[in-house]
Amino acid sequence: MSENKIPYKIYLSEEEMPKAWYNVRADMANKPAPLLNPGTHQPMTAEELAPVFCEELVKQELDDTTAYIPIPQEIQDFYKMYRPSPLVRAYCLEEKLQTPAKIYYKFEGNNTSGSHKLNSAIAQAYYAKKQGLKGVTTETGAGQWGTALSMACSYFGLDCKVYMVKCSYEQKPFRREVMRVYGASVTPSPSETTAVGRKILAEHPGTTGSLGCAISEAVEVATSTPGYRYVLGSVLNQVLLHQSVIGLETKTAMDKYGIVPDIIIGCAGGGSNLGGLISPFMGEKLRGERDYRFIAVEPASCPSFTRGKFAYDFCDTGMVCPLAKMYTLGSSFIPSANHAGGLRYHGMSSTLSQLYHDGLMEAVSVEQTKVFEAAEQFARVEGILPAPESSHAIKVAIDEAMKCKETGEEKTILFGLTGTGYFDMVAYEKFHDGKMTDYIPTDADLQVGFDGIPKFPGNEF
Amino acid sequence: MSENKIPYKIYLSEEEMPKAWYNVRADMANKPAPLLNPGTHQPMTAEELAPVFCEELVKQELDDTTAYIPIPQEIQDFYKMYRPSPLVRAYCLEEKLQTPAKIYYKFEGNNTSGSHKLNSAIAQAYYAKKQGLKGVTTETGAGQWGTALSMACSYFGLDCKVYMVKCSYEQKPFRREVMRVYGASVTPSPSETTAVGRKILAEHPGTTGSLGCAISEAVEVATSTPGYRYVLGSVLNQVLLHQSVIGLETKTAMDKYGIVPDIIIGCAGGGSNLGGLISPFMGEKLRGERDYRFIAVEPASCPSFTRGKFAYDFCDTGMVCPLAKMYTLGSSFIPSANHAGGLRYHGMSSTLSQLYHDGLMEAVSVEQTKVFEAAEQFARVEGILPAPESSHAIKVAIDEAMKCKETGEEKTILFGLTGTGYFDMVAYEKFHDGKMTDYIPTDADLQVGFDGIPKFPGNEF
């Protein structure tokens, strides 16, 4: 099909939507390292994971050989409610930039969670329901994951207990309110509802909480309440698997129109969106079928890939979770104020970490004022108000398009636009008022986090 | 095509998108009454309207004979950025309600303005640009129109001055901030920037403003600043014309699948969405080709259709605008607290008023707590957080679907879902906390407004 026939937005038909998730680990020669029991330093077994996660999700977490895992019909039906998401040709942005590059983005924000998070939330809720559970627990910071999970649980009639970092709970009352629309109970963390919460409150009266603390509370409730399990919105292999629906739809849409991306860009916090977007393309690269450039974009204030260590570390600040081998800033690293709450995570998906370690993808870090400049430029021509997280990818996509303008190359750039910024207007306001500052941790700042990474034989870094 | 082949969402291809707007007035035997000069009570001429509105828009305002008006290519291209909007089969809602009715909705919320308002904003901005103007002025209450116009002006490089009702400006800082993303200047009204604003501030220090005051300020700035015109987001004939893109897309999508709606439902404030949605269907009814039931839904607190007078009245509280013949509660009627800000208008489109007066459509009013119950029910199964305005239509669509459940009738119900409620979480919170109350004006309350409707020969009511 000729170039000028490509529409502004490509939607797949229901028949063209993926029927199976793609598990990129199956095509990796160097598999991501397994989760370790923090006590024994031995790989976590399915039995050890079962009290925390649903059975089917444990299977998915540990399966690094099955390339395609069928999407249950109920989940396919739910996906039809808000998917396929559009693959957008950014004609307006291209014209504004006067670049010969062709820019595409896969937009995941057209659902109430405002992001791609729903793709995994509905899968995790489905398996919980199928297992006969009563409900699930989770933590949320920025609130997109909490919203997505609330929606998913409401759909399947599951109880949903969200521990929301107290400062977010207070600063983002509207996020909290959306979760209440879906009937979720939202508790500011730390709280009096758990032993760990009471302990923290006793030790640190007046604390505004942290993601690590919220995880600890959610895990405690899940493991101590019959019929409950804990669910997580990023980092895990199972989450990347579910998020592959993003990349699969994108690839089908591109194949249909004969579009081949040269560069694929995504923001990276825990890696759920980036991993999902690139998976099928990375599979081709791993199988030697086609080469692509992949670029992970992270905030300069929380630079796991670009300045972190590749080592076994705790997934949570509370150090109650298994150890994962990943690029990490140390579980005790507290990212400074950064408005992309979804990217404020000390670690990174093990799968993406291994791919990065093996030189199969690149990573760059960007400063937030530049990110908001890109966000505003994008909003003005593409009619979407992007989330700060997503805008990291926009920033680098624009940078790459401008390089094409200099060189005259007609590269095809694809990026993931994970969501909308309707609940991030405080950050936009700071940006408009010139009150937004950038922060780049010093080596000494980072060393504090590195010092907290557990030391044991085989975990040299 | 068989029933079970209808997808969850129907998207038109770019080729199927409308190339012309449909002007329902062309098919009306009883034309809507013309705007009157408030001084002479004679029909407003194009010359009289030219200082306020763009030339091309004046033409469209006055043209009640041309059925199809071509959509300029630049506007068609902009529409492709965020349209076609999906026509959704509400399978999940149907299942939840256990109704034999088939429910469809046309969802207009997938753009940053969060609503259908952009359809007319981009047209009005385009004609302003084409006329060589420097900028436009407008007022906004809830903020959807202001956001849409800001986006549109940013796209065409026009200056945009928005007068935002002061209480909204203060209560909805995020709405204001979205407009700033698009480079609009947003001024709380009343302000010191206009003569009328200074006058009002002197007379009523500490006033939190009103839509009527904001209109007066916007009109003053437009008519006193070279290169500026005033634009309005509803009520006017030109707006209904542009919004016909909603109905045209819907009709094309339905025709494609052989779907014929029995009932078409829309919320009605000034009438822009309802008029746009029903226009092509109403055209068929007017031409005697097919019959449909049309239902306008308005808040019980601001019941223009169901309890208003059909008379000539001012379009604005400040009484500076022309007189329009419409169902009105009187331009001095101040609707009480109601969270559907977009429906708090004392009057109604002249076109819809005439159609209602001629018995061609029905109207019902609903109380806001019932509206929020319906909104929440909808959000939980359809994955969209609806705006309070839109939820009025949801409420009546559910009511009609439940009637079908009682009678066993398999009616096809279509409603307009005008937008998202991301900036309305304060209202949702009140609802969840049981603090939302209903208000129905007494006859005495209404009489105060009726007393302000101008009396002159030919304006008996």
Side-chain angles (χ1 to χ4, degrees):
Chain A
M1 198 170 286
S2 77
E3 170 67 22
N4 58 18
K5 288 290 176 89
I6 292 172
Y8 281 63
K9 288 182 288 183
I10 304 174
Y11 285 104
L12 301 181
S13 70
E14 288 183 359
E15 292 69 37
E16 293 167 322
M17 287 172 66
K19 306 282 186 292
W21 292 301
Y22 169 64
N23 181 7
V24 70
R25 288 169 288 161
D27 282 314
M28 290 170 68
N30 297 330
K31 306 289 186 192
L35 293 171
L36 295 189
N37 180 311
T40 65
H41 298 159
Q42 293 302 305
M44 292 287 286
T45 62
E47 291 68 33
E48 288 176 304
L49 289 170
V52 182
F53 299 124
C54 300
E55 289 159 24
E56 197 63 31
L57 293 168
V58 169
K59 273 191 217 164
Q60 293 178 359
E61 190 62 32
L62 299 178
D63 184 346
D64 59 10
T65 55
T66 309
Y68 286 93
I69 294 177
I71 305 174
Q73 189 60 48
E74 291 90 335
I75 299 176
Q76 286 190 45
D77 287 344
F78 187 90
Y79 278 168
K80 285 177 198 161
M81 189 214 286
Y82 72 101
R83 308 194 68 81
S85 69
L87 175 66
V88 185
R89 172 73 183 266
Y91 283 117
C92 301
L93 180 63
E94 291 171 19
E95 196 192 317
K96 185 77 180 177
L97 300 177
Q98 291 286 302
T99 174
K102 298 172 189 70
I103 308 175
Y104 292 85
Y105 57 92
K106 179 73 166 169
F107 179 49
E108 293 288 322
N110 281 345
N111 70 75
T112 300
S113 82
S115 79
H116 66 294
K117 293 288 185 187
L118 193 53
N119 301 329
S120 184
I122 192 62
Q124 298 195 47
Y126 168 78
Y127 290 118
K129 183 72 181 175
K130 205 178 149 204
Q131 194 175 321
L133 297 177
K134 198 176 156 221
V136 293
T137 72
T138 199
E139 77 292 328
T140 200
Q144 291 182 324
W145 168 248
T147 308
L149 189 69
S150 303
M151 279 181 72
C153 286
S154 157
Y155 187 78
F156 284 124
L158 280 170
D159 185 39
C160 180
K161 296 185 194 299
V162 180
Y163 284 84
M164 188 169 185
V165 177
K166 192 181 273 178
C167 63
S168 292
Y169 182 90
E170 285 163 1
Q171 285 169 11
K172 292 194 165 189
F174 296 163
R175 268 285 181 210
R176 178 191 72 207
E177 213 49 45
V178 180
M179 289 183 255
R180 286 178 75 194
V181 168
Y182 293 104
S185 77
V186 187
T187 307
S189 168
S191 74
E192 296 283 349
T193 66
T194 65
V196 66
R198 287 188 293 272
K199 181 163 177 284
I200 292 168
L201 283 171
E203 288 169 7
H204 308 279
T207 177
T208 56
S210 72
L211 209 49
C213 171
I215 292 177
S216 302
E217 290 202 85
V219 170
E220 178 184 321
V221 173
T223 51
S224 63
T225 314
Y228 280 76
R229 290 295 183 282
Y230 169 70
V231 297
L232 185 63
S234 191
V235 184
L236 297 173
N237 293 323
Q238 59 188 267
V239 177
L240 261 70
L241 175 73
H242 306 148
Q243 294 295 357
S244 70
V245 70
I246 304 172
L248 291 164
E249 280 187 8
T250 304
K251 184 133 192 4
T252 302
M254 289 195 140
D255 287 350
K256 199 169 153 181
Y257 285 88
I259 306 160
V260 180
D262 297 296
I263 310 173
I264 305 177
I265 300 165
C267 61
S272 69
N273 146 70
L274 177 69
L277 175 66
I278 70 173
S279 275
F281 299 97
M282 182 61 82
E284 288 192 306
K285 182 163 176 162
L286 290 166
R287 296 189 302 270
E289 294 163 11
R290 199 189 287 271
D291 197 19
Y292 301 98
R293 270 186 75 198
F294 300 101
I295 308 177
V297 189
E298 56 187 15
S301 59
C302 191
S304 325
F305 269 139
T306 51
R307 297 177 68 196
K309 303 292 184 191
F310 187 47
Y312 266 109
D313 194 13
F314 288 96
C315 294
D316 64 316
T317 315
M319 301 189 185
V320 298
C321 291
L323 299 170
K325 186 155 186 191
M326 57 185 177
Y327 279 86
T328 178
L329 298 166
S331 67
S332 59
F333 177 80
I334 303 292
S336 78
N338 174 310
H339 296 291
L343 305 182
R344 290 180 65 196
Y345 182 64
H346 69 276
M348 183 58 66
S349 143
S350 286
T351 302
L352 293 182
S353 292
Q354 187 64 49
L355 291 167
Y356 180 65
H357 187 69
D358 291 342
L360 290 157
M361 52 182 270
E362 306 163 33
V364 295
S365 73
V366 290
E367 294 173 36
Q368 70 174 350
T369 53
K370 302 292 177 195
V371 166
F372 275 83
E373 278 171 23
E376 190 164 281
Q377 189 172 17
F378 180 85
R380 288 186 179 195
V381 291
E382 288 290 325
I384 291 169
L385 186 78
E389 291 83 358
S390 323
S391 303
H392 285 68
I394 295 174
K395 163 65 181 153
V396 173
I398 291 177
D399 286 349
E400 291 293 331
M402 295 311 283
K403 285 183 201 163
C404 289
K405 187 174 178 176
E406 281 173 31
T407 62
E409 287 174 290
E410 290 186 25
K411 284 187 183 165
T412 296
I413 299 168
L414 164 67
F415 71 91
L417 190 71
T418 54
T420 51
Y422 295 118
F423 293 100
D424 299 288
M425 297 319 296
V426 169
Y428 275 97
E429 185 171 17
K430 273 197 184 170
F431 171 69
H432 292 143
D433 291 344
K435 292 181 183 161
M436 182 175 281
T437 53
D438 291 315
Y439 167 73
I440 302 178
T442 63
D443 287 344
D445 293 333
L446 292 185
Q447 193 56 48
V448 176
F450 296 151
D451 289 343
I453 298 175
K455 269 112 196 142
F456 57 89
N459 200 36
E460 287 72 30
F461 55 89
Chain B
M1 197 169 290
S2 76
E3 170 68 21
N4 58 19
K5 287 290 176 90
I6 292 171
Y8 281 62
K9 289 182 288 183
I10 305 175
Y11 285 105
L12 301 181
S13 70
E14 287 183 359
E15 293 68 35
E16 293 167 322
M17 287 173 67
K19 306 283 186 292
W21 292 300
Y22 169 64
N23 182 7
V24 71
R25 288 168 290 161
D27 283 313
M28 290 170 69
N30 296 330
K31 305 288 185 193
L35 293 172
L36 295 189
N37 180 310
T40 65
H41 298 160
Q42 294 301 306
M44 292 288 287
T45 63
E47 292 67 34
E48 288 176 304
L49 289 170
V52 182
F53 299 124
C54 300
E55 289 160 24
E56 198 63 31
L57 294 168
V58 169
K59 274 191 216 166
Q60 293 178 358
E61 191 62 32
L62 299 177
D63 184 346
D64 59 10
T65 55
T66 310
Y68 287 93
I69 295 178
I71 305 174
Q73 189 60 48
E74 292 90 335
I75 299 175
Q76 285 191 45
D77 287 344
F78 187 90
Y79 279 167
K80 285 176 199 163
M81 188 216 287
Y82 72 101
R83 308 194 66 81
S85 69
L87 175 67
V88 185
R89 172 73 183 267
Y91 283 116
C92 300
L93 180 62
E94 290 171 19
E95 196 191 319
K96 184 78 180 173
L97 299 177
Q98 291 286 304
T99 174
K102 297 172 188 72
I103 309 174
Y104 293 85
Y105 57 92
K106 179 73 167 169
F107 178 50
E108 293 288 321
N110 281 345
N111 70 75
T112 300
S113 82
S115 79
H116 66 294
K117 293 288 184 187
L118 193 53
N119 301 330
S120 184
I122 192 63
Q124 298 196 46
Y126 167 78
Y127 290 118
K129 183 73 180 177
K130 204 178 149 204
Q131 194 175 321
L133 297 177
K134 197 176 157 224
V136 293
T137 71
T138 199
E139 76 292 326
T140 201
Q144 291 182 324
W145 168 248
T147 308
L149 189 69
S150 302
M151 278 180 73
C153 286
S154 158
Y155 188 79
F156 284 125
L158 281 170
D159 185 41
C160 180
K161 296 184 195 300
V162 179
Y163 284 85
M164 188 168 186
V165 178
K166 190 180 275 177
C167 62
S168 292
Y169 182 90
E170 285 163 1
Q171 286 169 10
K172 293 193 164 191
F174 296 162
R175 267 286 179 209
R176 179 190 73 208
E177 212 50 46
V178 180
M179 290 183 254
R180 286 178 74 194
V181 168
Y182 293 104
S185 77
V186 187
T187 308
S189 169
S191 74
E192 296 283 348
T193 66
T194 64
V196 66
R198 289 188 292 272
K199 182 165 177 285
I200 292 167
L201 283 171
E203 287 169 6
H204 308 277
T207 177
T208 56
S210 73
L211 209 49
C213 172
I215 292 177
S216 303
E217 290 202 86
V219 171
E220 179 184 320
V221 173
T223 52
S224 63
T225 314
Y228 279 76
R229 290 294 183 283
Y230 168 71
V231 298
L232 186 62
S234 190
V235 184
L236 298 173
N237 293 322
Q238 58 189 269
V239 177
L240 261 70
L241 176 71
H242 306 147
Q243 294 295 357
S244 71
V245 70
I246 304 172
L248 291 164
E249 280 187 7
T250 305
K251 185 133 191 8
T252 302
M254 289 196 139
D255 286 350
K256 199 169 153 183
Y257 286 88
I259 306 159
V260 180
D262 297 295
I263 310 173
I264 304 178
I265 300 165
C267 62
S272 68
N273 146 71
L274 177 69
L277 174 67
I278 71 173
S279 274
F281 300 95
M282 181 62 82
E284 287 192 305
K285 182 163 177 163
L286 289 166
R287 295 189 302 270
E289 295 163 11
R290 198 189 287 272
D291 197 19
Y292 300 98
R293 270 185 75 196
F294 300 101
I295 307 177
V297 189
E298 57 187 15
S301 59
C302 190
S304 324
F305 269 138
T306 51
R307 297 176 69 195
K309 303 292 184 189
F310 188 46
Y312 266 109
D313 195 13
F314 289 97
C315 294
D316 64 315
T317 316
M319 300 190 185
V320 299
C321 291
L323 299 169
K325 186 156 186 190
M326 57 185 177
Y327 279 85
T328 178
L329 298 167
S331 66
S332 59
F333 176 80
I334 304 292
S336 78
N338 175 310
H339 296 290
L343 305 182
R344 291 180 64 196
Y345 183 65
H346 69 277
M348 184 58 66
S349 144
S350 286
T351 301
L352 293 182
S353 292
Q354 188 64 49
L355 291 166
Y356 180 64
H357 187 69
D358 290 343
L360 290 155
M361 51 183 270
E362 307 164 31
V364 296
S365 73
V366 290
E367 293 173 37
Q368 70 175 349
T369 51
K370 302 292 176 195
V371 166
F372 275 83
E373 278 171 22
E376 190 164 280
Q377 189 172 17
F378 180 84
R380 290 187 178 194
V381 291
E382 287 291 323
I384 291 170
L385 185 78
E389 292 83 357
S390 323
S391 303
H392 285 69
I394 295 173
K395 163 66 181 151
V396 173
I398 290 176
D399 286 349
E400 291 293 331
M402 294 311 283
K403 285 183 201 164
C404 289
K405 187 174 177 176
E406 281 174 31
T407 63
E409 287 174 290
E410 291 186 23
K411 284 187 184 165
T412 296
I413 299 168
L414 164 67
F415 70 91
L417 190 70
T418 55
T420 50
Y422 295 119
F423 294 100
D424 299 289
M425 297 318 297
V426 169
Y428 275 97
E429 185 171 18
K430 273 196 184 170
F431 172 68
H432 292 142
D433 292 343
K435 293 181 182 160
M436 182 175 279
T437 53
D438 291 315
Y439 167 74
I440 302 177
T442 64
D443 288 345
D445 293 332
L446 293 184
Q447 193 57 47
V448 176
F450 296 151
D451 288 343
I453 298 174
K455 269 108 194 146
F456 58 88
N459 198 36
E460 287 73 31
F461 56 91

